[in-house]
Short mmCIF file of all heavy atoms in Angstrom, two decimals:
data_model
loop_
_atom_site.label_atom_id
_atom_site.label_comp_id
_atom_site.label_asym_id
_atom_site.label_seq_id
_atom_site.Cartn_x
_atom_site.Cartn_y
_atom_site.Cartn_z
N MET A 13 40.00 114.74 83.45
CA MET A 13 40.67 115.04 82.19
C MET A 13 40.79 113.75 81.39
O MET A 13 41.21 112.73 81.90
CB MET A 13 42.05 115.63 82.50
CG MET A 13 42.84 115.95 81.25
SD MET A 13 44.44 116.74 81.59
CE MET A 13 43.92 118.28 82.25
N ASN A 14 40.44 113.83 80.12
CA ASN A 14 40.53 112.62 79.31
C ASN A 14 41.95 112.42 78.78
O ASN A 14 42.80 113.31 78.85
CB ASN A 14 39.51 112.64 78.17
CG ASN A 14 39.76 113.74 77.15
OD1 ASN A 14 40.89 114.19 76.99
ND2 ASN A 14 38.73 114.16 76.46
N ALA A 15 42.23 111.25 78.24
CA ALA A 15 43.57 110.90 77.80
C ALA A 15 44.06 111.80 76.66
O ALA A 15 45.24 112.14 76.59
CB ALA A 15 43.61 109.44 77.37
N GLN A 16 43.15 112.20 75.79
CA GLN A 16 43.52 113.05 74.66
C GLN A 16 43.97 114.43 75.16
O GLN A 16 44.97 114.97 74.69
CB GLN A 16 42.36 113.18 73.69
CG GLN A 16 42.73 113.83 72.38
CD GLN A 16 41.57 113.81 71.41
OE1 GLN A 16 40.42 113.74 71.82
NE2 GLN A 16 41.87 113.86 70.14
N ALA A 17 43.26 114.98 76.13
CA ALA A 17 43.63 116.29 76.68
C ALA A 17 44.97 116.19 77.43
O ALA A 17 45.80 117.08 77.32
CB ALA A 17 42.54 116.79 77.62
N LEU A 18 45.18 115.10 78.14
CA LEU A 18 46.44 114.90 78.86
C LEU A 18 47.61 114.76 77.89
O LEU A 18 48.67 115.32 78.12
CB LEU A 18 46.35 113.66 79.75
CG LEU A 18 47.56 113.38 80.62
CD1 LEU A 18 47.82 114.53 81.58
CD2 LEU A 18 47.38 112.09 81.37
N ALA A 19 47.41 114.06 76.80
CA ALA A 19 48.46 113.89 75.79
C ALA A 19 48.86 115.22 75.18
O ALA A 19 50.02 115.42 74.81
CB ALA A 19 48.01 112.92 74.71
N ALA A 20 47.92 116.15 75.09
CA ALA A 20 48.24 117.47 74.55
C ALA A 20 49.10 118.28 75.52
O ALA A 20 49.89 119.12 75.11
CB ALA A 20 46.94 118.22 74.23
N LEU A 21 48.95 118.02 76.82
CA LEU A 21 49.71 118.74 77.84
C LEU A 21 51.10 118.15 78.09
O LEU A 21 52.05 118.88 78.35
CB LEU A 21 48.94 118.76 79.16
CG LEU A 21 47.64 119.54 79.18
CD1 LEU A 21 46.93 119.33 80.51
CD2 LEU A 21 47.91 121.02 78.94
N VAL A 22 51.20 116.84 78.05
CA VAL A 22 52.46 116.15 78.36
C VAL A 22 52.96 115.46 77.10
O VAL A 22 52.34 114.53 76.61
CB VAL A 22 52.25 115.10 79.48
CG1 VAL A 22 53.56 114.40 79.79
CG2 VAL A 22 51.68 115.75 80.72
N PRO A 23 54.09 115.90 76.56
CA PRO A 23 54.61 115.26 75.34
C PRO A 23 54.99 113.81 75.59
O PRO A 23 55.32 113.44 76.71
CB PRO A 23 55.83 116.10 74.99
CG PRO A 23 56.05 117.05 76.10
CD PRO A 23 54.92 116.96 77.05
N PRO A 24 54.98 112.98 74.55
CA PRO A 24 55.38 111.59 74.71
C PRO A 24 56.83 111.48 75.17
O PRO A 24 57.67 112.30 74.81
CB PRO A 24 55.19 110.99 73.32
CG PRO A 24 54.93 112.09 72.40
CD PRO A 24 54.63 113.32 73.20
N LEU A 25 57.11 110.48 75.98
CA LEU A 25 58.45 110.21 76.49
C LEU A 25 59.03 111.41 77.25
O LEU A 25 60.23 111.68 77.20
CB LEU A 25 59.38 109.77 75.36
CG LEU A 25 58.90 108.56 74.57
CD1 LEU A 25 59.79 108.30 73.36
CD2 LEU A 25 58.81 107.33 75.44
N ARG A 26 58.17 112.11 77.98
CA ARG A 26 58.59 113.29 78.75
C ARG A 26 59.66 112.92 79.78
O ARG A 26 60.58 113.69 80.04
CB ARG A 26 57.37 113.92 79.43
CG ARG A 26 57.70 115.09 80.31
CD ARG A 26 58.15 116.27 79.52
NE ARG A 26 58.32 117.42 80.42
CZ ARG A 26 59.20 118.35 80.24
NH1 ARG A 26 59.99 118.32 79.18
NH2 ARG A 26 59.30 119.34 81.08
N GLY A 27 59.55 111.74 80.38
CA GLY A 27 60.55 111.31 81.35
C GLY A 27 61.93 111.26 80.74
O GLY A 27 62.91 111.64 81.36
N CYS A 28 62.03 110.80 79.51
CA CYS A 28 63.33 110.73 78.83
C CYS A 28 63.89 112.13 78.58
O CYS A 28 65.10 112.33 78.66
CB CYS A 28 63.20 109.99 77.51
SG CYS A 28 62.88 108.23 77.71
N ALA A 29 63.03 113.09 78.31
CA ALA A 29 63.49 114.46 78.08
C ALA A 29 64.09 115.04 79.36
O ALA A 29 64.97 115.89 79.31
CB ALA A 29 62.34 115.32 77.58
N LEU A 30 63.63 114.58 80.52
CA LEU A 30 64.11 115.08 81.80
C LEU A 30 65.26 114.25 82.37
O LEU A 30 65.95 114.68 83.28
CB LEU A 30 62.96 115.10 82.82
CG LEU A 30 61.78 115.99 82.45
CD1 LEU A 30 60.65 115.78 83.44
CD2 LEU A 30 62.18 117.44 82.38
N CYS A 31 65.46 113.06 81.84
CA CYS A 31 66.47 112.12 82.34
C CYS A 31 67.89 112.63 82.07
O CYS A 31 68.17 113.22 81.03
CB CYS A 31 66.28 110.77 81.66
SG CYS A 31 67.47 109.51 82.17
N MET A 32 68.78 112.39 83.02
CA MET A 32 70.18 112.80 82.86
C MET A 32 70.90 112.02 81.76
O MET A 32 71.93 112.45 81.25
CB MET A 32 70.94 112.62 84.17
CG MET A 32 70.50 113.59 85.23
SD MET A 32 71.51 113.48 86.71
CE MET A 32 73.13 113.86 86.07
N HIS A 33 70.37 110.87 81.37
CA HIS A 33 71.01 110.06 80.33
C HIS A 33 70.62 110.49 78.92
O HIS A 33 71.15 109.94 77.95
CB HIS A 33 70.64 108.58 80.50
CG HIS A 33 71.14 108.00 81.77
ND1 HIS A 33 70.37 107.15 82.53
CD2 HIS A 33 72.31 108.13 82.42
CE1 HIS A 33 71.07 106.77 83.59
NE2 HIS A 33 72.24 107.36 83.55
N SER A 34 69.70 111.43 78.80
CA SER A 34 69.25 111.82 77.45
C SER A 34 70.26 112.73 76.77
O SER A 34 70.92 113.55 77.40
CB SER A 34 67.88 112.49 77.53
OG SER A 34 67.97 113.72 78.21
N THR A 35 70.36 112.56 75.47
CA THR A 35 71.24 113.36 74.63
C THR A 35 70.48 113.72 73.36
O THR A 35 69.94 112.82 72.71
CB THR A 35 72.51 112.56 74.25
OG1 THR A 35 73.19 112.17 75.43
CG2 THR A 35 73.43 113.37 73.38
N ARG A 36 70.43 114.98 73.05
CA ARG A 36 69.74 115.40 71.83
C ARG A 36 70.75 115.42 70.68
O ARG A 36 71.80 116.03 70.76
CB ARG A 36 69.11 116.78 71.99
CG ARG A 36 68.28 117.18 70.80
CD ARG A 36 67.33 118.30 71.10
NE ARG A 36 66.31 117.97 72.09
CZ ARG A 36 65.21 117.26 71.86
NH1 ARG A 36 65.00 116.76 70.67
NH2 ARG A 36 64.34 117.05 72.81
N ILE A 37 70.41 114.69 69.62
CA ILE A 37 71.22 114.67 68.41
C ILE A 37 70.30 115.12 67.28
O ILE A 37 69.38 114.39 66.90
CB ILE A 37 71.79 113.27 68.13
CG1 ILE A 37 72.69 112.82 69.29
CG2 ILE A 37 72.56 113.26 66.81
CD1 ILE A 37 73.21 111.42 69.17
N GLY A 38 70.55 116.31 66.80
CA GLY A 38 69.66 116.90 65.82
C GLY A 38 68.29 117.13 66.46
O GLY A 38 68.19 117.73 67.52
N GLU A 39 67.26 116.62 65.84
CA GLU A 39 65.90 116.76 66.37
C GLU A 39 65.51 115.59 67.27
O GLU A 39 64.50 115.64 67.95
CB GLU A 39 64.90 116.86 65.21
CG GLU A 39 65.04 118.12 64.39
CD GLU A 39 64.68 119.36 65.19
OE1 GLU A 39 63.67 119.34 65.92
OE2 GLU A 39 65.43 120.35 65.08
N ALA A 40 66.29 114.52 67.28
CA ALA A 40 65.92 113.30 68.01
C ALA A 40 66.61 113.22 69.37
O ALA A 40 67.78 113.56 69.51
CB ALA A 40 66.26 112.08 67.20
N LEU A 41 65.87 112.73 70.35
CA LEU A 41 66.40 112.51 71.69
C LEU A 41 66.92 111.07 71.76
O LEU A 41 66.24 110.14 71.34
CB LEU A 41 65.29 112.73 72.72
CG LEU A 41 65.70 112.88 74.17
CD1 LEU A 41 66.61 114.09 74.34
CD2 LEU A 41 64.47 113.04 75.03
N HIS A 42 68.14 110.88 72.26
CA HIS A 42 68.76 109.56 72.34
C HIS A 42 69.06 109.21 73.79
O HIS A 42 69.28 110.08 74.62
CB HIS A 42 70.07 109.54 71.55
CG HIS A 42 69.87 109.51 70.08
ND1 HIS A 42 69.36 110.58 69.39
CD2 HIS A 42 70.11 108.55 69.17
CE1 HIS A 42 69.29 110.28 68.11
NE2 HIS A 42 69.75 109.05 67.95
N CYS A 43 69.09 107.91 74.08
CA CYS A 43 69.42 107.42 75.41
C CYS A 43 70.91 107.18 75.49
O CYS A 43 71.47 106.40 74.72
CB CYS A 43 68.66 106.13 75.72
SG CYS A 43 69.04 105.49 77.37
N ASN A 44 71.56 107.86 76.43
CA ASN A 44 73.00 107.73 76.61
C ASN A 44 73.33 107.04 77.93
O ASN A 44 74.40 107.22 78.50
CB ASN A 44 73.63 109.13 76.54
CG ASN A 44 75.11 109.09 76.23
OD1 ASN A 44 75.61 108.09 75.76
ND2 ASN A 44 75.80 110.17 76.52
N CYS A 45 72.40 106.23 78.43
CA CYS A 45 72.62 105.48 79.67
C CYS A 45 73.77 104.50 79.46
O CYS A 45 73.80 103.77 78.47
CB CYS A 45 71.35 104.71 80.03
SG CYS A 45 71.56 103.57 81.40
N PRO A 46 74.75 104.48 80.37
CA PRO A 46 75.91 103.59 80.19
C PRO A 46 75.51 102.12 79.99
O PRO A 46 76.08 101.44 79.15
CB PRO A 46 76.70 103.78 81.47
CG PRO A 46 76.32 105.14 81.96
CD PRO A 46 74.89 105.32 81.56
N ALA A 47 74.54 101.64 80.75
CA ALA A 47 74.13 100.23 80.64
C ALA A 47 73.51 99.94 79.28
O ALA A 47 73.72 98.87 78.72
CB ALA A 47 73.14 99.89 81.75
N VAL A 48 72.75 100.88 78.75
CA VAL A 48 72.12 100.69 77.44
C VAL A 48 73.15 100.87 76.33
O VAL A 48 73.25 100.07 75.41
CB VAL A 48 70.94 101.69 77.26
CG1 VAL A 48 70.39 101.63 75.85
CG2 VAL A 48 69.86 101.42 78.28
N ARG A 49 73.94 101.93 76.43
CA ARG A 49 74.94 102.24 75.40
C ARG A 49 75.97 101.13 75.25
O ARG A 49 76.40 100.79 74.14
CB ARG A 49 75.62 103.56 75.74
CG ARG A 49 76.50 104.10 74.63
CD ARG A 49 77.16 105.40 75.01
NE ARG A 49 78.09 105.18 76.11
CZ ARG A 49 78.01 105.76 77.31
NH1 ARG A 49 77.04 106.61 77.56
NH2 ARG A 49 78.90 105.51 78.23
N LYS A 50 76.37 100.52 76.37
CA LYS A 50 77.38 99.46 76.34
C LYS A 50 76.92 98.25 75.53
O LYS A 50 77.72 97.63 74.83
CB LYS A 50 77.70 99.03 77.78
CG LYS A 50 78.78 98.02 77.90
CD LYS A 50 79.07 97.73 79.36
CE LYS A 50 80.17 96.71 79.52
NZ LYS A 50 80.44 96.42 80.93
N VAL A 51 75.64 97.93 75.61
CA VAL A 51 75.11 96.75 74.92
C VAL A 51 74.55 97.10 73.54
O VAL A 51 74.81 96.40 72.57
CB VAL A 51 74.02 96.07 75.78
CG1 VAL A 51 73.40 94.91 75.05
CG2 VAL A 51 74.60 95.62 77.11
N PHE A 52 73.78 98.19 73.46
CA PHE A 52 73.04 98.50 72.23
C PHE A 52 73.59 99.69 71.45
O PHE A 52 73.11 100.00 70.38
CB PHE A 52 71.57 98.77 72.57
CG PHE A 52 70.88 97.63 73.23
CD1 PHE A 52 70.70 97.61 74.60
CD2 PHE A 52 70.44 96.54 72.50
CE1 PHE A 52 70.07 96.54 75.23
CE2 PHE A 52 69.82 95.48 73.11
CZ PHE A 52 69.63 95.48 74.48
N GLY A 53 74.55 100.41 72.01
CA GLY A 53 75.01 101.63 71.38
C GLY A 53 74.03 102.77 71.67
O GLY A 53 73.06 102.60 72.40
N LEU A 54 74.30 103.92 71.12
CA LEU A 54 73.44 105.08 71.32
C LEU A 54 72.14 104.87 70.54
O LEU A 54 72.18 104.69 69.32
CB LEU A 54 74.17 106.33 70.84
CG LEU A 54 73.59 107.67 71.23
CD1 LEU A 54 73.56 107.83 72.75
CD2 LEU A 54 74.39 108.79 70.60
N GLN A 55 71.02 104.83 71.25
CA GLN A 55 69.73 104.52 70.64
C GLN A 55 68.76 105.68 70.81
O GLN A 55 68.76 106.34 71.86
CB GLN A 55 69.10 103.31 71.35
CG GLN A 55 69.86 102.03 71.18
CD GLN A 55 69.39 101.28 69.96
OE1 GLN A 55 68.21 101.25 69.66
NE2 GLN A 55 70.32 100.67 69.27
N PRO A 56 67.89 105.93 69.83
CA PRO A 56 66.83 106.93 70.01
C PRO A 56 65.88 106.47 71.13
O PRO A 56 65.65 105.27 71.30
CB PRO A 56 66.09 106.94 68.67
CG PRO A 56 67.00 106.27 67.70
CD PRO A 56 67.87 105.34 68.50
N VAL A 57 65.37 107.40 71.90
CA VAL A 57 64.52 107.03 73.04
C VAL A 57 63.26 106.30 72.61
O VAL A 57 62.77 105.43 73.32
CB VAL A 57 64.17 108.23 73.95
CG1 VAL A 57 65.40 108.79 74.60
CG2 VAL A 57 63.42 109.30 73.22
N HIS A 58 62.72 106.61 71.43
CA HIS A 58 61.50 105.90 71.01
C HIS A 58 61.78 104.42 70.77
O HIS A 58 60.88 103.60 70.89
CB HIS A 58 60.86 106.56 69.78
CG HIS A 58 61.60 106.36 68.51
ND1 HIS A 58 62.63 107.18 68.12
CD2 HIS A 58 61.48 105.41 67.55
CE1 HIS A 58 63.11 106.75 66.95
NE2 HIS A 58 62.43 105.68 66.59
N VAL A 59 63.01 104.05 70.51
CA VAL A 59 63.39 102.64 70.35
C VAL A 59 63.64 102.01 71.72
O VAL A 59 63.15 100.91 72.01
CB VAL A 59 64.65 102.51 69.46
CG1 VAL A 59 65.17 101.08 69.44
CG2 VAL A 59 64.36 103.00 68.05
N VAL A 60 64.38 102.70 72.57
CA VAL A 60 64.74 102.19 73.89
C VAL A 60 63.51 101.98 74.77
O VAL A 60 63.46 101.05 75.56
CB VAL A 60 65.74 103.16 74.57
CG1 VAL A 60 66.04 102.75 75.99
CG2 VAL A 60 67.01 103.24 73.78
N ARG A 61 62.49 102.84 74.62
CA ARG A 61 61.31 102.76 75.49
C ARG A 61 60.21 101.85 74.96
O ARG A 61 59.17 101.70 75.60
CB ARG A 61 60.75 104.17 75.70
CG ARG A 61 61.62 105.07 76.55
CD ARG A 61 61.64 104.72 78.01
NE ARG A 61 60.34 104.72 78.62
CZ ARG A 61 59.71 105.82 79.06
NH1 ARG A 61 60.30 106.99 78.96
NH2 ARG A 61 58.52 105.74 79.60
N GLN A 62 60.42 101.19 73.83
CA GLN A 62 59.42 100.24 73.34
C GLN A 62 59.28 99.08 74.32
O GLN A 62 60.15 98.86 75.17
CB GLN A 62 59.83 99.70 71.97
CG GLN A 62 59.74 100.73 70.87
CD GLN A 62 60.21 100.17 69.54
OE1 GLN A 62 60.71 99.06 69.45
NE2 GLN A 62 60.05 100.96 68.50
N THR A 63 58.22 98.33 74.19
CA THR A 63 57.96 97.21 75.09
C THR A 63 59.14 96.26 75.20
O THR A 63 59.46 95.77 76.27
CB THR A 63 56.70 96.44 74.63
OG1 THR A 63 55.62 97.36 74.56
CG2 THR A 63 56.35 95.33 75.58
N VAL A 64 59.81 95.99 74.10
CA VAL A 64 60.96 95.10 74.11
C VAL A 64 62.29 95.87 74.07
O VAL A 64 63.34 95.28 73.85
CB VAL A 64 60.90 94.09 72.94
CG1 VAL A 64 59.72 93.16 73.10
CG2 VAL A 64 60.86 94.81 71.61
N GLY A 65 62.24 97.17 74.31
CA GLY A 65 63.45 98.00 74.28
C GLY A 65 64.28 97.84 75.54
O GLY A 65 63.85 97.25 76.54
N ALA A 66 65.48 98.40 75.52
CA ALA A 66 66.42 98.26 76.63
C ALA A 66 65.91 98.87 77.93
O ALA A 66 66.21 98.38 79.01
CB ALA A 66 67.75 98.89 76.24
N CYS A 67 65.15 99.93 77.85
CA CYS A 67 64.64 100.60 79.05
C CYS A 67 63.18 100.23 79.32
O CYS A 67 62.73 100.21 80.44
CB CYS A 67 64.79 102.12 78.89
SG CYS A 67 64.78 103.03 80.44
N GLY A 68 62.45 99.95 78.26
CA GLY A 68 61.06 99.54 78.38
C GLY A 68 60.12 100.68 78.69
O GLY A 68 60.54 101.81 78.95
N PRO A 69 58.81 100.41 78.67
CA PRO A 69 57.81 101.44 78.91
C PRO A 69 57.91 102.03 80.32
O PRO A 69 57.49 103.15 80.56
CB PRO A 69 56.48 100.74 78.71
CG PRO A 69 56.78 99.37 78.26
CD PRO A 69 58.24 99.12 78.35
N GLY A 70 58.47 101.30 81.26
CA GLY A 70 58.59 101.77 82.63
C GLY A 70 59.83 102.61 82.90
O GLY A 70 60.06 103.02 84.03
N ALA A 71 60.62 102.87 81.88
CA ALA A 71 61.84 103.68 82.00
C ALA A 71 62.77 103.15 83.10
O ALA A 71 63.13 103.85 84.04
CB ALA A 71 61.51 105.14 82.22
N ALA A 72 63.17 101.91 82.96
CA ALA A 72 63.97 101.23 83.99
C ALA A 72 65.30 101.91 84.29
O ALA A 72 65.80 101.82 85.41
CB ALA A 72 64.23 99.79 83.55
N HIS A 73 65.88 102.61 83.33
CA HIS A 73 67.19 103.23 83.53
C HIS A 73 67.12 104.74 83.76
O HIS A 73 68.15 105.40 83.81
CB HIS A 73 68.10 102.95 82.33
CG HIS A 73 68.39 101.51 82.12
ND1 HIS A 73 69.26 100.81 82.92
CD2 HIS A 73 67.90 100.62 81.22
CE1 HIS A 73 69.31 99.55 82.51
NE2 HIS A 73 68.50 99.41 81.48
N MET A 74 65.92 105.27 83.91
CA MET A 74 65.77 106.71 84.07
C MET A 74 66.49 107.19 85.33
O MET A 74 66.44 106.55 86.38
CB MET A 74 64.30 107.12 84.14
CG MET A 74 64.14 108.62 84.21
SD MET A 74 62.49 109.26 83.91
CE MET A 74 61.43 108.16 84.74
N HIS A 75 67.18 108.32 85.21
CA HIS A 75 67.88 108.90 86.35
C HIS A 75 67.68 110.41 86.33
O HIS A 75 67.94 111.06 85.32
CB HIS A 75 69.38 108.57 86.30
CG HIS A 75 70.15 109.21 87.42
ND1 HIS A 75 70.02 108.78 88.71
CD2 HIS A 75 70.99 110.25 87.44
CE1 HIS A 75 70.79 109.52 89.49
NE2 HIS A 75 71.38 110.42 88.73
N MET A 76 67.23 110.93 87.45
CA MET A 76 67.01 112.37 87.58
C MET A 76 68.06 112.95 88.53
O MET A 76 68.42 112.31 89.53
CB MET A 76 65.62 112.67 88.15
CG MET A 76 64.50 112.15 87.32
SD MET A 76 64.40 113.05 85.80
CE MET A 76 63.00 112.27 85.05
N ASP A 77 68.56 114.10 88.22
CA ASP A 77 69.59 114.76 89.04
C ASP A 77 69.14 114.90 90.49
O ASP A 77 69.92 114.73 91.42
CB ASP A 77 69.91 116.14 88.45
CG ASP A 77 71.12 116.77 89.09
OD1 ASP A 77 72.03 116.02 89.50
OD2 ASP A 77 71.15 118.00 89.17
N ALA A 78 67.88 115.20 90.71
CA ALA A 78 67.36 115.40 92.06
C ALA A 78 67.36 114.11 92.89
O ALA A 78 67.23 114.17 94.11
CB ALA A 78 65.94 115.97 92.00
N TRP A 79 67.53 112.97 92.26
CA TRP A 79 67.52 111.70 92.98
C TRP A 79 68.83 111.44 93.71
O TRP A 79 68.95 110.49 94.47
CB TRP A 79 67.23 110.54 92.04
CG TRP A 79 65.84 110.55 91.51
CD1 TRP A 79 64.80 111.32 91.93
CD2 TRP A 79 65.33 109.76 90.45
NE1 TRP A 79 63.68 111.06 91.18
CE2 TRP A 79 63.98 110.10 90.27
CE3 TRP A 79 65.88 108.80 89.62
CZ2 TRP A 79 63.17 109.51 89.31
CZ3 TRP A 79 65.08 108.22 88.67
CH2 TRP A 79 63.75 108.57 88.51
N GLY A 80 69.84 112.22 93.46
CA GLY A 80 71.11 112.04 94.17
C GLY A 80 72.09 111.20 93.37
O GLY A 80 72.17 111.32 92.16
N ALA A 81 72.80 110.35 94.03
CA ALA A 81 73.87 109.55 93.41
C ALA A 81 73.32 108.71 92.27
O ALA A 81 72.23 108.15 92.37
CB ALA A 81 74.53 108.65 94.44
N GLN A 82 74.10 108.62 91.20
CA GLN A 82 73.69 107.85 90.03
C GLN A 82 73.66 106.37 90.34
O GLN A 82 74.54 105.84 91.00
CB GLN A 82 74.64 108.12 88.88
CG GLN A 82 74.17 107.54 87.58
CD GLN A 82 75.00 108.02 86.41
OE1 GLN A 82 75.94 108.77 86.60
NE2 GLN A 82 74.66 107.60 85.22
N VAL A 83 72.61 105.73 89.85
CA VAL A 83 72.43 104.29 90.07
C VAL A 83 72.95 103.52 88.90
O VAL A 83 72.81 103.87 87.80
CB VAL A 83 70.93 103.96 90.28
CG1 VAL A 83 70.74 102.49 90.50
CG2 VAL A 83 70.41 104.75 91.45
#
């Protein structure tokens, strides 16, 4: 499968949509991670996940309910 076909199947920042720290405000998804919010305030995920963003492209603060206790 090529990258274009994969992009059509998986929306951008899909991990953030599944993360327990995500909060939808209007049409935009925001990062509500305590570590990020404490320093930067409530930020849209497209800002937080930028290369120089608080969470970065690797989603450093991502937390899924299935992972158990919050980190």
Side-chain angles (χ1 to χ4, degrees):
M13 179 177 293
N14 65 25
Q16 190 175 25
L18 183 61
L21 294 174
V22 180
L25 304 173
R26 176 69 174 148
C28 291
L30 299 173
C31 179
M32 291 186 60
H33 296 139
S34 66
T35 301
R36 186 162 296 281
I37 300 175
E39 293 294 317
L41 194 61
H42 286 69
C43 180
N44 200 18
C45 172
V48 173
R49 189 181 65 240
K50 184 177 180 181
V51 176
F52 301 100
L54 193 61
Q55 295 270 322
V57 296
H58 72 274
V59 172
V60 174
R61 290 288 302 278
Q62 290 177 354
T63 303
V64 295
C67 201
H73 298 285
M74 184 166 41
H75 177 71
M76 300 291 181
D77 190 32
W79 292 349
Q82 188 170 1
V83 180

